Amino acid sequence: MPGKKSFAEDLAALEEMRRRPPGESVGALRRALAHRNNYVAAQAANLIRDFRLADLVPDLLESFDRFFTNPIKNDPQCWAKHALAQALAALEYQEAEVFLRGMRHIQMEPVWKGQSDTAGRLRGACALGLVQCRQLSNHDLLQYLVDLFADSDKTVRLEAVRSIEQVGSPASALLLRMRAVVAGDEPEVLGACYAGVLNIEGKGAIPWVERFMAAGGDAATEAAFAIAATRCPQAFDSLHRCFLLDHDAVLSPVLLSAIALTRQPAAADFLLDLVDKESPHAAAAIDAILRSHPAEETMSRLRKIIAEHPQFAPALASHREDPS
């Protein structure tokens, strides 16, 4: 139709708004939120979030409600509802019912030979948004969030763990402990549980996380890196102890990488000593050091050791060729 902007022109106009003062775009963003195309509305919501335009919260809410009507047709892939929920959360919207509505939404869309739920990202975003609703008690908040542990979408379960961690109460830590002990989930979700408990309880929870390394496998890897992320002396002690007891050829290099990531002086000393003593793990120790973005002092010591043990020079050279 003459005079009607194309989809590409609408998106270009939104992108141009990023280069103008936010106040000049309020009217255009309000119109974009009312756009029938869900992707255009989603991009408008992203701009409102980035510009922190709290005056447009009523328009965000109106658009959010609109895209729940005939959602498969009007908001395929939940692009609009997801972006709108993120914008409301970023603007610290406080009415829990809006986020609870998104947390409960399932949108089955046709795919090859069946249907697929496209609302997982929306449920995860709404879980994170719910956490900042100050009207909810911790008890009520955790009661809503724990239901998402049973969600079929891994992304939602992961965001549920992160949301519970953000609550930060002793009850939150207990829920994450319970989820980890029950297991039966993706390693990434279990790893978030380990990290969440450590972030809430501190280094005192390291012995509890350490026990998950005994079974090996991906969960052990997640546990090792969760411990390493605390970057405390107790983390090195734990990982070092596990390394000395471990006889798993797959887990050993993981533990060395985690040891390096603790960034403890004792960790650097241990790894360098493996190289200097020509341990069977020397090459893995070199790789762990190099991938941990080491301090210049550590690198200087490593170069000196390799100069005395030139058989390890290729490991250093190959890392220069492959900075990943």
Side-chain angles (χ1 to χ4, degrees):
M1 291 178 63
K4 186 174 182 179
K5 285 185 178 181
S6 69
F7 173 68
E9 289 173 328
D10 286 324
L11 291 181
L14 285 169
E15 187 60 31
E16 177 63 27
M17 292 179 201
R18 289 193 179 276
R19 293 184 279 274
R20 299 204 302 262
E24 294 181 6
S25 303
V26 170
L29 286 170
R30 186 172 276 129
R31 291 190 294 274
L33 282 179
H35 202 288
R36 64 180 296 178
N37 185 282
N38 66 328
Y39 189 74
V40 172
Q43 296 308 305
N46 291 337
L47 278 171
I48 292 167
R49 177 197 65 205
D50 295 343
F51 289 160
R52 310 291 297 179
L53 296 175
D55 289 347
L56 290 181
V57 163
D59 301 273
L60 291 170
L61 292 170
E62 182 178 347
S63 186
F64 190 68
D65 182 68
R66 175 168 65 91
F67 282 111
F68 277 97
T69 301
N70 196 2
I72 296 175
K73 177 182 178 182
N74 294 328
D75 188 22
Q77 303 299 312
C78 288
W79 278 334
K81 294 190 291 294
H82 176 246
L84 290 159
Q86 286 187 314
L88 288 166
L91 295 172
E92 298 185 5
Y93 183 70
Q94 292 295 305
E95 296 299 322
E97 284 302 321
V98 169
F99 297 113
L100 289 172
R101 184 183 190 184
M103 283 170 59
R104 295 163 179 157
H105 183 65
I106 295 174
Q107 188 162 313
M108 303 301 296
E109 298 189 28
V111 295
W112 177 249
K113 294 186 177 180
Q115 291 183 315
S116 177
D117 176 20
T118 63
R121 289 195 312 151
L122 169 64
R123 295 196 295 277
C126 286
L128 290 167
L130 190 71
V131 175
Q132 47 88 55
C133 291
R134 291 185 287 274
Q135 73 186 64
L136 292 176
S137 67
N138 282 354
H139 176 271
D140 289 342
L141 185 54
L142 292 174
Q143 193 172 37
Y144 290 128
L145 292 173
V146 77
D147 285 344
L148 296 183
F149 279 161
D151 199 288
S152 61
D153 191 315
K154 181 189 76 171
T155 300
V156 180
R157 300 194 301 276
L158 186 59
E159 297 295 16
V161 169
R162 291 171 175 165
S163 299
I164 289 171
E165 177 192 338
Q166 286 188 21
V167 176
S169 66
S172 304
L174 287 175
L175 283 174
L176 296 181
R177 280 175 174 258
M178 180 192 71
R179 186 69 196 88
V181 169
V182 171
D185 208 331
E186 299 286 341
E188 187 179 0
V189 177
L190 297 176
C193 291
Y194 308 148
V197 171
L198 287 166
N199 287 335
I200 295 170
E201 298 184 3
K203 60 189 179 185
I206 288 176
W208 177 78
V209 177
E210 181 182 323
R211 72 184 194 177
F212 292 98
M213 287 190 279
D218 290 338
T221 297
E222 295 287 347
F225 286 121
I227 290 173
T230 64
R231 293 187 177 179
C232 63
Q234 292 85 346
F236 168 69
D237 292 341
S238 171
L239 295 165
H240 180 232
R241 180 168 54 252
C242 289
F243 177 80
L244 294 178
L245 294 172
D246 179 63
H247 301 288
D248 186 331
V250 175
L251 187 58
S252 290
V254 169
L255 290 170
L256 291 176
S257 293
I259 286 170
L261 291 172
T262 66
R263 300 192 179 281
Q264 293 297 306
D269 291 343
F270 170 67
L271 294 169
L272 291 167
D273 191 55
L274 289 177
V275 182
D276 195 29
K277 291 182 177 178
E278 300 183 352
S279 161
H281 300 286
I286 293 170
D287 186 66
I289 292 169
L290 295 175
R291 292 184 183 278
S292 67
H293 302 287
E296 183 52 41
E297 179 188 359
T298 302
M299 281 301 302
S300 178
R301 292 170 63 190
L302 178 61
R303 292 188 194 101
K304 182 178 179 181
I305 291 171
I306 290 178
E308 297 172 355
H309 303 279
Q311 70 270 32
F312 298 128
L316 184 59
S318 64
H319 192 272
R320 290 193 186 113
E321 295 169 3
D322 179 20
S324 64

